[in-house]
Amino acid sequence: MTLSEVNQLGSKTLDSGTDLHNDDHPSFNDPEYRKRRQAITDLGKTYKMEDEFIPNVVYTDLEKQTW
């Protein structure tokens, strides 16, 4: 598998989790949660295997408490 193919696979994987389709998800109707989820996904999409550094997600205190 080439680096290009790995990058495409990573992008497809992130695309599959960008939108909530299940209305029984606790945050389905929370626009702030959905916006944050999209921002983290977008950051992940900027990464390519040949990059020197992996993007860093800076989590909020509330996100840290949740996890």
Side-chain angles (χ1 to χ4, degrees), residues 19-36:
D19 199 17
L20 296 174
H21 300 286
N22 191 348
D23 62 3
D24 70 347
H25 186 283
S27 297
F28 181 81
N29 293 310
D30 181 347
E32 286 302 311
Y33 172 84
R34 293 173 73 110
K35 181 179 174 183
R36 177 67 171 145

Side-chain angles (χ1 to χ4, degrees), residues 36 39-41 43-44 54-60 63-64:
R36 177 67 171 145
I40 292 171
T41 299
L43 183 62
I54 297 172
N56 184 38
V57 174
V58 179
Y59 292 101
T60 67
E63 288 169 332
K64 291 176 187 175

Side-chain angles (χ1 to χ4, degrees), residues 14 18 35-47:
L14 287 169
T18 58
K35 181 179 174 183
R36 177 67 171 145
R37 180 182 170 114
Q38 185 64 53
I40 292 171
T41 299
D42 290 345
L43 183 62
K45 285 182 173 182
T46 67
Y47 176 73

